Amino acid sequence: MKVARDAFVGVWNSPNLPLYLFLGYQAVNAVLDRMGLWSATLPCLWKFVVNQRCPGFGLTRASLALLLDFDLAAAWAYNPLVFVVVPVIIGTGIGDVRRILAPPPLP
């Protein structure tokens, strides 16, 4: 139980907390959307301000194609940026997990 509490506190204190909250929202929305139960995507601020498709357009679909279906061609077709963004996010998550699980420094 202490490990779970320490992990929660570690994530809560992480500077990447907004990223994790956003990714969690997107993941839940993507799963519910694929099941046909619910779809509540966030509006694109870039498109609202600039009135053009943003560089991240299709990134959620590309991530799902890459991570769930392992379909590299579909992921590339949705948004080639997925091959940069997904490894960075995974690396960030691994770094935070290593930081959380690392033993505390000796005094």
Side-chain angles (χ1 to χ4, degrees):
M1 190 66 176
K2 182 176 179 345
V3 172
R5 182 180 54 83
D6 290 346
F8 176 77
V9 169
V11 170
W12 189 257
N13 292 331
S14 170
N16 299 317
L17 180 63
L19 172 68
Y20 296 144
L21 292 175
F22 175 74
L23 291 175
Y25 170 82
Q26 290 292 83
V28 169
N29 184 52
V31 169
L32 293 176
D33 187 39
R34 273 191 167 212
M35 294 170 53
L37 298 176
W38 181 53
S39 180
T41 56
L42 294 173
C44 181
L45 184 61
W46 181 278
K47 182 165 177 59
F48 178 75
V49 173
V50 181
N51 201 23
Q52 293 180 352
R53 282 178 39 173
C54 72
F57 184 80
L59 202 51
T60 301
R61 288 177 288 164
S63 299
L64 291 175
L66 181 64
L67 297 173
L68 297 182
D69 301 332
F70 304 107
D71 189 350
L72 300 177
W76 182 268
Y78 285 130
N79 190 334
L81 194 59
V82 72
F83 294 103
V84 174
V85 172
V86 167
V88 167
I89 290 173
I90 290 173
T92 301
I94 290 172
D96 273 354
V97 167
R98 290 182 68 200
R99 181 184 54 79
I100 291 167
L101 297 180
L106 296 174

